[in-house]
Structure formats: structure tokens, C-alpha cells
Amino acid sequence: MKHSHLLKQVISVLALCCMLLCQSIVVNAVSQTPLHLELENYQEVRSSLNGQLTGHHLTVWKLEKPYTIDQQKEIVQELRAWDETKLNQEFVASKHDMVFFENHIEVAAIPNGLYYVRDIIKTPTVEYRGDIVFELTDGEVTPHKIFVKKANPTSTIVKLLKTDEHKKPLAKVGFRLARMEDNQEEIGMPLIGSDGTYRYDETVSTDDKVLYTDDNGEITVTNLPYGTYRFIEVEPLEGYQIEQPYYEFHLTGPQLVTVVVVNKKTPYGDMQFAKVDSKTNKALANAVFRVTKKVDDKFIPVLQDGKELVLTSSETGRFEAKNLPFGTYYIWEINAPSGYIQLTEPISFIINEEGANEKFTKTVVVRNTKRPSIEVPNTGDITLYLLMFLSAVLFGGGFYLVRKP
């Protein structure tokens, strides 16, 4: 009985060992396909590293379903616009040692799977950027080879931060990004991406793409070649002023560049009016006015909420223009109070710091003249007697003619 129990324990231990051994074999099997990186001008790469051929790592992000190797082009187009922070949020990243051989770089110990790789080598003197999707499988018996071309020198990341004067982020503000030539000509940049995250890509057409700040008030641009650039604000938020026409920055090496753009709210103010009789100062109701601004010698209606701003005096003769940006305005009377002559000239008023003050009490008085009533002119007593005499003569003559046989 004891021997039987002991035999069972031995068998259990052997079975466990076999399972562990098999598991180890499986793990090794899925990790045995080495990755060979063949770089353009590889010998220049080795020379530029000045003998520092150790301590280099390749960072890869493992892609899960629904991504497949058949979507390689679409995946690259999507992910190349992301920064590393977003990649790390969406995928599992891992680093693997790079071994420099005579004609290639070998990376081992990458488990089978679908991966995205961006930077192959990135130092202050040399940069090889991948943006490559590759897949390692059990079926491969030869090293998986990837050929990588030398990248143009780029900045690590450029961030634009858009805020108001109280450091509140401003979303959905539109900017153009332009590179400055020696003759100060602005050249539009070929960029891909959306929702605040963009990436330079020389394979797309150069245009004046409008970049929009995200919910954090940020625009992130990566992969820009070295040079001088300008962010140009082209679509400000309603109610905010553009403080300066552009914001210039310089890229001289791999670096983080932050451009802070602060916009102040457009100052607003109010104006009060009183409509009165020109002689008695009696309050006049139901006078209607259109508010305008003068642009190039033309009076343009002021719009609020997409509609022309029209004001009507109340029973107390009062009316008010509210929330107007600082500037000079004109009101035109388009309907006078009943019994009064309509004004034919505009009345100007200015919205400034006074109108933005809560204690503001200034009132513009608008006076109307009463329309004169129609009266029978007084021609004098003699004219009246003469008319009475002529009437009597005519009456008598008519009576005589009627009675005559």
C-alpha cells in the first residue's frame, strides 16, 4: 500500500516536470524566429555610433485584434500620427536588445505576434525611423528581415498649447503650420492626423491643412525636419482676440518644443438709451431701432445669435444694447412712436471700458418731435361775413327761380 502511494507521488512529480519542460519548449518555440534589421548605409551607422554598439534597444508595440498583417498599410497610416503616450495607452510596449553584426542588427526574444515599430536607432547624430508593421510566426524558419532607410533629422515633438488669460484650455481653435524659407516665404507642410495629433509625412500632398486644438487645448506635431516654423492662427474662437499674427519656433535637433498661445476674450460692454418727447421729456414707448457698425463708409447691421440686433423702447422709454464688443456703433430709427416724426439720421454711441463696468450709469437720450396736428387756417372776420353774404344771395336766387311761374 505504501509502495503504491509512493509510486503515485513519483508519477505526479514526473508529470509536472514534463509539463514545465513542454511549456518551456513551447515558449522557446514561439520566440526563436530572430528579427534582422538591415539599415541603409549600415557601415555609416556603425561609424556614427563611435563604437557604442551596446545598450541599444528596439521598442515594439504588440497589436491585437482586429488588427491583421493584411491591413499593414492602413495600420501604418493610422499609427504614424500617434505620439508614444497614445501608443502606450492603446498597446503593450516591450524593449528588446539589439546586437550589431557585421552587416545587420539582430533582435531576438520577441514572442510571436503582430507588432508596430517606429524608431530603429535614434541618437543626436543618427536617426533611422521605421513606422513598420511586421509579424513573427512559428512557420518561419529563416530570420525575418526588415530593410530601413535613413530618416531625415526630426524633432522629437512639437506641442502648441492654446489657453485664455486664465490658463483655461481652448478647444477647436484652428492653426496652419508653415515652414519658413530663407526669403521668408511660408511653405505649407504635408501633415496627416486629426483631433489635435498630427505627423509630418513627405509622401502626402503639401497643402494648407488646418490643425485644430483638442479638448486639452493642444496640438501635437511629430516628425518635423529641422528648420524654422510658424503656427498661424486662422480660426479663432468667437469672442476671443488674436493677439499676434503668428508664433515662430526653431528645430535644431531632437527635442521637445512647446509653443504657448494665449488669447484674451474680446471685451464687451453695454449702452443704455432713453426715448423721450423733445419738449416735455415724456417717455415714449414702441420706438424701434436697428443697431449698425460702419465698415468702409457703409452701415452694416450688427448680428447677435445670427439675427440683426433690433431694439424697442419700453413703456418707460428705456432700451439697452448689451454684450457688444468695444467699438463705435450707430442706431437707426426704423419705426417712430405714434404721433412723432421719425428720425432720419443715425445716432452714434461708443462701447468701451465704461460700458463694461457693472456700475455704469451713462444713458444716451433720444428725442423725437411731435407731429403737428392739421388746423383750419384763420382768415379773419371779414372773409367770414363775405362768405355768409354770398351764401344768402345764392340761396335767395335759387329760391326765386324755383318759385317763378
Side-chain angles (χ1 to χ4, degrees):
M1 188 73 174
K2 291 182 178 180
H3 291 291
S4 176
H5 180 69
L6 180 60
L7 181 60
K8 288 182 179 180
Q9 287 185 330
V10 171
I11 292 173
S12 297
V13 171
L14 289 174
L16 180 60
C17 290
C18 289
M19 289 176 61
L20 293 174
L21 181 61
C22 291
Q23 197 171 35
S24 176
I25 292 172
V26 172
V27 171
N28 288 332
V30 299
S31 304
Q32 285 303 308
T33 305
L35 179 67
H36 281 195
L37 301 174
E38 299 180 357
L39 276 59
E40 182 183 37
N41 301 325
Y42 180 64
Q43 298 307 319
E44 291 183 12
V45 175
R46 289 174 61 95
S47 300
S48 66
L49 295 176
N50 298 320
Q52 300 296 322
L53 302 180
T54 60
H56 297 276
H57 305 281
L58 180 70
T59 300
V60 297
W61 286 271
K62 189 171 185 181
L63 308 179
E64 305 291 350
K65 291 182 179 181
Y67 295 104
T68 67
I69 192 64
D70 297 332
Q71 302 169 321
Q72 186 173 0
K73 183 178 180 181
E74 292 78 5
I75 293 172
V76 169
Q77 288 178 341
E78 177 185 357
L79 300 187
R80 75 194 326 175
W82 295 10
D83 60 18
E84 290 194 9
T85 300
K86 188 170 182 179
L87 286 171
N88 291 332
Q89 290 173 346
E90 297 294 330
F91 310 114
V92 175
S94 58
K95 292 185 177 182
H96 303 272
D97 292 334
M98 301 170 66
V99 180
F100 287 75
F101 287 88
E102 187 63 29
N103 296 309
H104 69 276
I105 298 172
E106 185 171 308
V107 185
I110 302 179
N112 288 345
L114 184 65
Y115 294 93
Y116 170 71
V117 62
R118 173 168 293 174
D119 294 317
I120 308 301
I121 295 178
K122 190 172 184 181
T123 73
T125 57
V126 63
E127 182 175 341
Y128 280 76
R129 198 174 187 103
D131 283 318
I132 296 168
V133 174
F134 65 92
E135 186 175 35
L136 300 178
T137 66
D138 288 333
E140 295 186 72
V141 294
T142 59
H144 189 97
K145 296 181 180 180
I146 296 176
F147 181 77
V148 184
K149 292 185 177 182
K150 186 176 181 180
N152 291 326
T154 62
S155 100
T156 303
I157 190 167
V158 177
K159 277 186 178 290
L160 178 143
L161 177 60
K162 180 72 170 178
T163 71
D164 65 10
E165 64 266 41
H166 305 297
K167 298 184 177 181
K168 175 187 174 183
L170 300 178
K172 306 302 180 185
V173 183
F175 287 84
R176 283 182 51 247
L177 177 64
R179 181 170 181 167
M180 300 306 300
E181 298 296 303
D182 292 338
N183 61 0
Q184 293 302 298
E185 182 183 1
E186 296 178 354
I187 304 299
M189 300 301 293
L191 301 170
I192 58 174
S194 61
D195 300 326
T197 302
Y198 303 89
R199 181 175 172 82
Y200 172 82
D201 189 338
E202 60 184 2
T203 65
V204 302
S205 61
T206 301
D207 58 15
D208 290 331
K209 183 181 181 71
V210 179
L211 317 180
Y212 292 95
T213 55
D214 61 16
D215 291 339
N216 296 317
E218 294 184 357
I219 291 175
T220 301
V221 184
T222 58
N223 205 35
L224 286 174
Y226 300 159
T228 299
Y229 297 87
R230 285 178 179 176
F231 275 118
I232 305 157
E233 188 169 351
V234 293
E235 294 184 20
L237 287 183
E238 184 177 353
Y240 286 85
Q241 301 179 94
I242 296 178
E243 296 295 307
Q244 61 187 66
Y246 59 83
Y247 295 81
E248 195 165 281
F249 61 94
H250 308 276
L251 302 181
T252 57
Q255 61 196 114
L256 170 64
V257 175
T258 302
V259 179
V260 179
V261 180
V262 179
N263 278 35
K264 294 182 180 179
K265 276 193 172 183
T266 304
Y268 285 80
D270 307 333
M271 181 61 71
Q272 300 174 6
F273 302 87
K275 183 70 168 176
V276 299
D277 183 290
S278 59
K279 290 185 177 181
T280 65
N281 286 330
K282 174 187 175 183
L284 301 177
N286 300 320
V288 182
F289 294 86
R290 178 181 288 115
V291 183
T292 65
K293 286 201 76 171
K294 200 172 186 180
V295 179
D296 297 332
D297 295 326
K298 294 181 180 180
F299 292 95
I300 306 300
V302 172
L303 303 181
Q304 282 190 350
D305 298 327
K307 299 179 181 179
E308 289 189 13
L309 182 56
V310 176
L311 309 174
T312 303
S313 62
S314 65
E315 293 296 327
T316 62
R318 297 279 177 169
F319 58 100
E320 186 175 12
K322 302 188 71 173
N323 297 322
L324 292 178
F326 285 7
T328 301
Y329 297 85
Y330 301 82
I331 56 172
W332 292 79
E333 189 169 42
I334 57 177
N335 188 18
S338 178
Y340 286 82
I341 300 174
Q342 181 175 321
L343 301 179
T344 58
E345 295 295 326
I347 296 173
S348 66
F349 64 97
I350 298 175
I351 298 290
N352 52 25
E353 290 82 359
E354 290 183 345
N357 191 331
E358 292 181 358
K359 297 181 180 179
F360 176 65
T361 57
K362 183 178 179 180
T363 300
V364 175
V365 179
V366 182
R367 304 180 186 278
N368 276 53
T369 302
K370 204 166 189 178
R371 190 182 302 279
S373 58
I374 299 176
E375 297 180 357
V376 177
N378 183 5
T379 56
D381 292 341
I382 296 176
T383 303
L384 178 61
Y385 292 145
L386 183 59
L387 288 173
M388 291 176 63
F389 173 75
L390 289 175
S391 297
V393 170
L394 291 173
F395 179 79
F399 181 80
Y400 172 77
L401 293 174
V402 171
R403 299 283 298 178
K404 185 175 181 182

